[in-house]
Amino acid sequence: TLVLLVVIVALRSSPYVSAWDEENSTFYNSATQALKMSGLHLTAPTALIFWEMEHEDSPAAIRAFDNSPGNLRIYGVHLSKGYSAADMRKAWLKFAPRRASLVIDRSQMLETSFKVRSLPMVFIVLPKQKKIFSFLGNINDSKQRMLDIIASE
């Protein structure tokens, strides 16, 4: 009976089991330095959504920011090589909130600095608190926690 229960729960669960993790200060310093080198200077809470056009869970991660607070800056960081900038922009515009911007990480500097393990992966950067929170996978079940993190700035 216990085995059957575990199997049922596993089948109904998201393929990712994750939570919002607070990164350490060394991570914050190296990650924000990489953002500056990419031309992104943080003055407000910022969401970085690491995604790829061909990844099936990327649209849901991007759409999770549709009704996010107005002070949140949103950047989609595309990782794939082999696509034209125009194709990536077109795919981004299908899913992205209106005030979101696309960053194409061809050099993989942001991917490496943020230690992206899998996709989609989301980071919330809080520059006043000098904190970064990360989330791997389907963000919809933890959207309220994300909103609380953003509001704390």
Side-chain angles (χ1 to χ4, degrees), residues 59-147:
I62 296 165
R63 285 187 180 125
F65 289 88
D66 279 345
N67 296 314
S68 57
N71 65 331
L72 180 68
R73 293 191 177 165
I74 304 166
Y75 295 98
V77 183
H78 195 276
L79 301 182
S80 291
K81 295 181 179 181
Y83 290 99
S84 72
D87 286 343
M88 286 184 251
R89 226 172 284 297
K90 185 177 177 182
W92 172 250
L93 291 174
K94 282 186 199 176
F95 310 113
R98 285 200 173 108
R99 66 183 194 282
S101 299
L102 175 64
V103 176
I104 299 171
D105 189 27
R106 291 207 191 271
S107 69
Q108 298 176 321
M109 180 178 62
L110 292 176
E111 177 184 8
T112 302
S113 297
F114 277 84
K115 301 177 185 170
V116 175
R117 299 184 308 266
S118 187
L119 297 176
M121 192 159 184
V122 176
F123 293 87
I124 302 293
V125 184
L126 305 176
K128 288 180 185 172
Q129 296 179 40
K130 296 190 179 206
K131 290 184 179 180
I132 295 179
F133 292 84
S134 62
F135 191 91
L136 174 63
N138 185 342
I139 201 170
N140 289 319
D141 294 338
S142 294
K143 191 167 182 176
Q144 186 56 52
R145 176 67 177 128
M146 176 187 76
L147 295 173

Side-chain angles (χ1 to χ4, degrees), residues 12-65:
R12 298 192 73 202
S13 298
S14 166
Y16 299 106
V17 177
S18 188
W20 285 99
D21 296 314
E22 185 175 341
E23 304 294 344
N24 64 41
S25 61
T26 303
F27 182 95
Y28 178 88
N29 292 333
S30 65
T32 54
Q33 183 62 32
L35 289 170
K36 286 176 188 173
M37 291 171 58
S38 296
L40 302 176
H41 299 280
L42 305 181
T43 58
T46 301
L48 297 162
I49 309 162
F50 286 83
W51 68 289
E52 287 182 339
M53 286 172 46
E54 64 274 3
H55 196 280
E56 65 186 45
D57 291 329
S58 288
I62 296 165
R63 285 187 180 125
F65 289 88

